[in-house]
Amino acid sequence: MHAPCVAFLSLLAAIPALAYDTAFAFAANATIETRSIDEIYQAALAEGGLVTLWHGGDESNQQDSLKTAFEAKFPGMTLNVTVDLSKYHDQRIDEQLATNSLYVDSAILQTVHDYPRWKQEGALLNYQPAGFEQIHPAFKDIDAAYYGMFIIAWSNTWNTDKLNVSSISSYADFLRPEFKDKLVLTYPNDDDAVLFQFNTIMQTLGKGWFEALLQQNPRWVRGTGTPATLVGTANNSYVATFTSSIGLVPSLPMKIDHSTDAFFTSWPQTGAIFRDAPHPEGAKLLHNFLMSVEHQNATGTFSSRIDVASAGGYPGIFDMNNTNPTAFGEWMGDRAQVERFRFWIEDKIGSAQGLSPLIDDL
């Protein structure tokens, strides 16, 4: 039985996510991968050639490129990838674990606070893929139960066909008259990373900034992919967002900037293989592929590996100004704090409306 008692869960919930390794370090024996990628590939084929991945996101096709790249690299392998909001994936995984009916091999999710809990429940495989030593220490569990697969960072994003400016370098810029009725933003009360973004901005710019933003009449949507999709679509009036990530080298007419007047949100999107994964060799092949230098160079964003340069000539995430990639994980560990701010926001803008992922009028 993986689920711990309620009292123990309550204790864990009170401890910030990045403090788990100190508080509960087991020094578990992790399997260190010494095989070549081809040897893992052959083992995965012999196992059945299948791997099931649940990936956080909000548009069902967001990981189609990963499926295509993985299956092209490893003929005969099938990657079944399901994209949904991480907060829905995790509770479904909990149900599978509680009923001994696990059919997911690997999960890569935004809900970083889930991984220390799953580790303590004994649900995760202690496994070091090739290159594990190159993952930044702040992004990996000491027993290799979970680790950051890549970095997500919100950016100020706009469509130059709709708004001919060279830079949007502050959150205060979004209060300018030209953004009235033309911003599209993710409901903060529907996505913890966006909620953290608003919390961080208001700590610096104050609640007055938020009140002025509401006067801009932004369109609120579900999902963080949706704002960028709407901004990038020609047949609407939405020109900009700051609750999406489109990588560091977007294609024109899309352009990005990072704010200088308050911190922007960045974090390691974290992944793990489940101890009782039905296809452990397939999952190991997938994780070795995802953490390879080849794939990390192809992501178009910041890498969680210290030996892989960021895309577009950007510095490493720890060398970027106005962001702290470990702060989100620490904040997520204090669920009472998260929920208090969520309901403060919800009282101001209402509950999240619409389907998720949003599929109409994109």
Side-chain angles (χ1 to χ4, degrees):
M1 185 69 173
H2 292 297
C5 68
V6 173
F8 189 46
L9 271 176
S10 298
L11 172 63
L12 292 180
I15 301 173
L18 296 184
Y20 278 94
D21 288 341
T22 300
F24 297 103
F26 287 162
N29 294 319
T31 299
I32 301 173
E33 187 57 79
T34 59
R35 296 173 295 176
S36 69
I37 194 72
D38 188 63
E39 289 173 324
I40 306 170
Y41 173 32
Q42 295 305 316
L45 287 175
E47 182 184 67
L50 181 67
V51 56
T52 297
L53 168 68
W54 280 10
H55 202 294
D58 48 81
E59 293 182 357
S60 59
N61 63 351
Q62 279 181 326
Q63 295 302 322
D64 285 1
S65 60
L66 171 59
K67 177 178 173 66
T68 298
F70 180 76
E71 292 179 355
K73 180 77 172 179
F74 304 107
M77 291 297 301
T78 298
L79 173 59
N80 290 331
V81 55
T82 300
V83 176
D84 204 344
L85 297 183
S86 296
K87 65 181 182 179
Y88 297 152
H89 273 326
D90 63 355
Q91 56 92 10
R92 294 167 186 153
I93 290 170
D94 281 337
E95 184 176 4
Q96 291 180 35
L97 293 172
T99 58
N100 295 314
S101 58
L102 184 71
Y103 64 87
V104 178
D105 297 305
S106 171
I108 301 174
L109 305 176
Q110 174 186 290
T111 50
V112 292
H113 61 293
D114 284 316
Y115 291 95
R117 175 174 62 84
W118 282 332
K119 174 187 176 181
Q120 297 307 316
E121 294 172 7
L124 302 181
L125 184 69
N126 299 107
Y127 174 73
Q128 294 186 17
F132 182 81
E133 70 282 358
Q134 296 295 339
I135 301 173
H136 194 287
F139 299 153
K140 61 187 176 185
D141 171 58
I142 58 172
D143 297 319
Y146 52 89
Y147 37 88
M149 310 292 283
F150 57 94
I151 306 300
I152 296 178
W154 299 149
S155 58
N156 298 344
T157 302
W158 71 100
N159 186 326
T160 58
D161 284 347
K162 300 178 182 181
L163 182 70
N164 187 21
V165 298
S166 61
S167 176
I168 304 177
S169 61
S170 74
Y171 294 115
D173 286 342
F174 292 103
L175 305 183
R176 300 197 310 246
E178 60 262 39
F179 291 106
K180 176 78 171 182
D181 300 319
K182 294 182 178 180
L183 294 175
V184 55
L185 303 170
T186 306
Y187 282 103
N189 44 315
D190 196 41
D191 185 286
D192 283 348
V194 177
L195 187 68
F196 177 67
Q197 177 87 333
F198 275 77
N199 180 269
T200 303
I201 295 171
M202 278 187 269
Q203 283 184 357
T204 302
L205 302 184
K207 292 181 180 178
W209 171 87
F210 181 68
E211 292 167 355
L213 180 71
L214 296 184
Q215 295 304 308
Q216 295 289 69
N217 192 34
R219 176 180 174 182
W220 299 103
V221 299
R222 301 195 69 192
T224 58
T226 302
T229 299
L230 286 169
V231 169
T233 302
N235 63 348
N236 63 61
S237 62
Y238 302 111
V239 301
T241 185
F242 56 86
T243 62
S244 284
S245 174
I246 59 172
L248 300 176
V249 284
S251 300
L252 290 173
M254 301 294 279
K255 198 168 182 180
I256 69 164
D257 209 342
H258 295 93
S259 283
T260 59
D261 59 346
F263 273 39
F264 64 91
T265 296
S266 63
W267 77 95
Q269 189 81 334
T270 300
I273 299 171
F274 290 100
R275 187 194 66 189
D276 295 331
H279 311 100
E281 296 299 338
K284 291 174 184 177
L285 180 64
L286 175 63
H287 278 231
N288 279 273
F289 171 72
L290 290 171
M291 297 312 302
S292 68
V293 171
E294 174 188 5
H295 181 77
Q296 293 282 308
N297 275 324
T299 61
T301 185
F302 303 101
S303 177
S304 57
R305 289 181 58 138
I306 59 178
D307 61 339
V308 175
S310 302
Y314 280 81
I317 190 62
F318 281 101
D319 295 319
M320 286 288 291
N321 294 323
N322 293 313
T323 194
N324 178 354
T326 66
F328 174 60
E330 295 168 353
W331 187 77
M332 286 282 278
D334 187 344
R335 300 312 296 171
Q337 170 185 240
V338 173
E339 296 308 312
R340 281 194 301 271
F341 189 58
R342 185 192 316 282
F343 291 122
W344 185 90
I345 289 282
E346 190 163 298
D347 183 54
K348 306 298 182 182
I349 67 174
S351 59
Q353 303 295 314
L355 298 175
S356 183
L358 183 67
I359 57 174
D360 56 349
D361 78 347
L362 296 185

